[in-house]
Amino acid sequence: MEYRQHNQPGCGGCLLLLGLIILVTGGAPALLNFIGVLFYSGLAGVLVLVGLFWAFSYYVQRRVSTYEASQSESHKRFVVLLVNILVKIAQADGHFTKAELRTILNFFQYTLRYNQDQLYWVKQLIKDARDSQTDMGTLLEEFRTSFAYEPRLILLELIYQIIYTKQPPLESELRQAREIARLLEISPYDQRTIEAKYTYRQHQETASAATLEEQYYAVLGLEKGASFDEIKKAYRKLSMQYHPDKVGHLGEEFKGVAEEKMKEINVAYGYFEKKFAK
């Protein structure tokens, strides 16, 4: 026979003992009064909790509404579609886990540096996205027709960022990212440039000088051994595509993504400038 651990008695035993004492000392009327006090106190507590929950929900909705009203339509549309696409990626296996929810929220909080009001908004968008019946193809078609090529590159960059928060990244999600790039009509060259950068980045802590050079080639979308003329051509092309001014209308956080990308491009080009100057 399996031994079952017995827990210590809770408040129910205490209340029963107290009720017996009141019955013995004060009789039935005193016991009824005691039960009435408990009932109304409990009901009042429930009402207080319901009121607090409603007040907090109202507060959050007000904050979300105020924040939304302060944003441009292009910024709101970009974030709405981004959240929906990220949720669809997470739901690809038929589930949306708490870990996946936490990954998306951490991405907005720590990578895009969203404040509390913005996170309230993102949480609402995630809730709506989870209930949405819109398929991935429709979302990507809307994104492709709504935004120019440069914002589409930023979207793909963000998708790879969140995929690579898992180590190692899931092969199924990498395949999905490549398909997303195709549906967004992003060139194979640009898709490979983004993916290769993250592939090398995950080994950056233990990278040798040779591996870092390969990473710099990858940042510029080039194979190892490319000539300096090819490097300059790739640098000029990427500098045009990721210029922060081209995505400034999407919001400061996405302009920041472009600025970080430009820093990476400049570091890679600076390395090759020094190498070929020798």
Side-chain angles (χ1 to χ4, degrees):
M1 186 177 71
E2 184 179 356
Y3 178 76
R4 182 170 62 87
Q5 179 71 37
H6 292 87
N7 297 322
Q8 294 185 6
C11 292
C14 301
L15 288 173
L16 179 60
L17 181 60
L18 183 58
L20 288 173
I21 293 172
I22 293 173
L23 178 63
V24 171
T25 57
L31 180 61
L32 290 173
N33 287 335
F34 175 68
I35 292 172
V37 169
L38 286 180
F39 175 78
Y40 286 110
S41 297
L43 181 60
V46 170
L47 291 175
V48 168
L49 288 175
V50 170
L52 289 173
F53 177 77
W54 179 87
F56 180 73
S57 298
Y58 177 77
Y59 167 79
V60 169
Q61 290 299 325
R62 280 288 301 270
R63 302 291 294 188
V64 168
S65 178
T66 301
Y67 174 74
E68 280 186 319
S70 69
Q71 301 304 301
S72 67
E73 286 302 318
S74 59
H75 175 254
K76 286 187 287 187
R77 198 69 203 134
F78 189 93
V79 178
V80 168
L81 288 169
L82 170 62
V83 169
N84 274 266
I85 290 167
L86 294 178
V87 169
K88 288 297 181 215
I89 292 173
Q91 290 176 326
D93 60 355
H95 303 283
F96 186 82
T97 65
K98 289 183 179 179
E100 288 169 326
L101 171 62
R102 192 159 51 247
T103 297
I104 294 175
L105 290 175
N106 286 344
F107 171 72
F108 279 92
Q109 183 174 4
Y110 298 113
T111 301
L112 297 183
R113 297 182 178 86
Y114 270 27
N115 61 31
Q116 193 60 58
D117 286 349
Q118 291 171 308
L119 287 174
Y120 284 147
W121 180 46
V122 170
K123 288 176 183 178
Q124 185 62 56
L125 294 180
I126 291 173
K127 180 178 180 297
D128 295 341
R130 292 179 66 178
D131 297 334
S132 174
Q133 299 302 311
T134 307
D135 60 66
M136 178 70 90
T138 302
L139 291 170
L140 294 173
E141 175 65 17
E142 181 177 351
F143 197 96
R144 186 184 64 78
T145 57
S146 300
F147 295 99
Y149 193 75
E150 291 78 14
R152 281 182 263 154
L153 285 174
I154 294 296
L155 173 67
L156 189 63
E157 184 86 25
L158 295 172
I159 288 171
Y160 271 101
Q161 278 189 26
I162 200 164
I163 287 174
Y164 272 83
T165 59
K166 302 172 185 176
Q167 291 298 328
L170 299 179
E171 184 58 37
S172 60
E173 292 187 353
L174 289 173
R175 287 196 300 270
Q176 195 169 23
R178 294 164 197 147
E179 178 63 11
I180 287 171
R182 187 185 69 80
L183 293 172
L184 290 175
E185 297 185 358
I186 290 173
S187 73
Y189 166 84
D190 289 328
Q191 180 273 321
R192 287 195 303 270
T193 299
I194 294 172
E195 183 170 322
K197 179 188 74 174
Y198 287 99
T199 301
Y200 283 107
R201 181 183 282 182
Q202 65 180 326
H203 305 298
Q204 195 167 24
E205 290 184 2
T206 57
S208 63
T211 306
L212 282 174
E213 182 169 297
E214 289 178 5
Q215 180 182 338
Y216 293 143
Y217 275 117
V219 167
L220 297 174
L222 299 170
E223 296 292 334
K224 186 178 179 181
S227 68
F228 190 56
D229 284 341
E230 290 174 307
I231 290 169
K232 285 193 290 185
K233 183 178 178 181
Y235 172 73
R236 286 194 294 267
K237 177 177 180 291
L238 291 170
S239 296
M240 290 287 290
Q241 287 180 337
Y242 285 98
H243 196 286
D245 288 348
K246 291 196 172 183
V247 295
H249 63 290
L250 301 179
E252 287 301 314
E253 66 270 39
F254 302 113
K255 187 176 180 180
V257 172
E259 288 170 350
E260 288 300 314
K261 179 74 174 181
M262 279 301 305
K263 288 178 185 176
E264 292 177 346
I265 294 167
N266 287 329
V267 168
Y269 183 68
Y271 169 84
F272 290 116
E273 267 193 321
K274 291 178 182 177
K275 178 182 176 179
F276 284 93
K278 293 177 181 179

